[in-house]
Amino acid sequence: MTKRRNRIYEPVTVPFSATPTGEPLSVADWANPCVWTERMLTTLHTGVRGGKWHTLIDKVFSPINLFAACRKVTGKGGSAGVDHQSAKDFEANSREELDRLHIALRDDSYVPQAVRRVWIPKPGSNEQRPLGVPTVRDRVVQTALLNVLEPIFDVTFSDNSFGFRRGRSCQMALEHVESLLEAGYVHVVDADLKGYFDTIPKDRLLAMVGEKISDRRVLRMVGRRA
């Protein structure tokens, strides 16, 4: 947003009149306690030695993190992947499934399966967009990985960013817009990049991840799904 200069403007409240929501939650409020200890949370703000996080793979395959990831994935349900195993089936045998995942990740023998491609309607048009459906097993690993990595990167994001972030909501974004309007900002830029996620330069993205993470096994796992 930019300020309009040399013009008289009477700020008005926008019709949606966002309900006060308070401050966004801090990372410490939502970081998964199965992974993030008080010492690690403190390091997020004081800075890690050398600027990079080391030895994270053991936190990814820790039994308690895999269990927490499993509960989150199976709780959402969702479609089966190429192996035709449903979330309900995985949950029914979760102890054996998680034991196998733990061993495979620990021994560096884990290999993700192919992603099932489906097409879903695109809202507001007659077009369809592709959607990749990983197996439940792989979704559990992805969630366990997210539990480890999300706080590391979230603390580097802009305070003006609200989309798809933990502890933030659309209501908070609307409240922020109202505060800018009241401060005299009147120009809004709306941009939409067609097919953006299909055109992200993967090598540059992984290089940026590597600026924060030095654990090669974790980087390799991220690269497999980038």
Side-chain angles (χ1 to χ4, degrees), residues 76-89:
K76 291 182 177 179
S79 302
V82 294
D83 62 353
H84 305 293
Q85 183 184 45
S86 68
K88 186 176 181 179
D89 291 338

Side-chain angles (χ1 to χ4, degrees), residues 120-135:
I120 61 175
K122 191 172 183 179
S125 72
N126 295 323
E127 298 180 17
Q128 291 186 320
R129 66 181 182 87
L131 179 68
V133 182
T135 62

Side-chain angles (χ1 to χ4, degrees), residues 69 110 112 115 134-135 137-147 221 225:
Y110 165 77
V115 175
T135 62
R137 167 181 175 269
D138 290 339
R139 297 205 295 267
V140 170
V141 174
Q142 290 171 7
T143 303
L145 187 62
L146 181 67
N147 287 343
M221 289 178 65
R225 286 307 185 198

Side-chain angles (χ1 to χ4, degrees), residues 13-226:
T13 301
V14 291
F16 49 73
S17 188
T19 302
T21 56
E23 294 296 320
L25 297 178
S26 69
V27 171
D29 292 321
W30 56 258
N32 197 307
C34 295
V35 175
W36 288 88
T37 64
E38 290 295 331
R39 182 178 179 181
M40 291 175 66
L41 289 171
T42 298
T43 303
L44 270 179
H45 298 286
T46 59
V48 67
R49 182 180 299 177
K52 293 187 178 183
W53 291 78
H54 307 267
T55 319
L56 294 175
I57 189 64
D58 60 317
K59 297 172 177 59
V60 175
F61 65 65
S62 72
I64 190 171
N65 185 26
L66 289 175
F67 175 76
C70 174
R71 292 291 298 273
K72 186 172 183 178
V73 170
T74 57
K76 291 182 177 179
S79 302
V82 294
D83 62 353
H84 305 293
Q85 183 184 45
S86 68
K88 186 176 181 179
D89 291 338
F90 189 96
E91 185 177 26
N93 299 284
S94 60
R95 178 172 295 182
E96 294 80 5
E97 294 283 3
L98 294 179
D99 282 346
R100 284 195 287 268
L101 272 181
H102 169 74
I103 293 172
L105 290 166
R106 183 195 63 193
D107 296 346
D108 201 18
S109 60
Y110 165 77
V111 178
Q113 295 175 279
V115 175
R116 183 167 69 90
R117 176 60 62 91
V118 298
W119 292 86
I120 61 175
K122 191 172 183 179
S125 72
N126 295 323
E127 298 180 17
Q128 291 186 320
R129 66 181 182 87
L131 179 68
V133 182
T135 62
V136 178
R137 167 181 175 269
D138 290 339
R139 297 205 295 267
V140 170
V141 174
Q142 290 171 7
T143 303
L145 187 62
L146 181 67
N147 287 343
V148 174
L149 298 182
E150 189 173 18
I152 294 175
F153 293 95
D154 191 90
V155 295
T156 69
F157 296 160
S158 169
D159 285 337
N160 297 321
S161 170
F162 293 90
F164 304 98
R165 292 180 63 186
R166 296 282 296 275
R168 292 168 178 258
S169 65
C170 293
Q171 288 76 16
M172 290 179 179
L174 294 176
E175 190 175 43
H176 185 60
V177 169
E178 283 192 334
S179 68
L180 291 173
L181 289 173
E182 292 173 357
Y185 290 86
V186 297
H187 292 103
V188 178
V189 177
D190 182 19
D192 184 18
L193 303 179
K194 183 177 177 61
Y196 174 67
F197 287 102
D198 296 328
T199 60
I200 294 175
K202 305 297 190 305
D203 54 343
R204 291 172 59 188
L205 178 62
L206 291 175
M208 294 176 69
V209 174
E211 292 176 1
K212 292 289 184 180
I213 308 297
S214 67
D215 190 315
R216 292 185 178 180
R217 290 179 60 183
V218 169
L219 288 174
R220 189 164 68 249
M221 289 178 65
V222 174
R224 284 171 175 167
R225 286 307 185 198

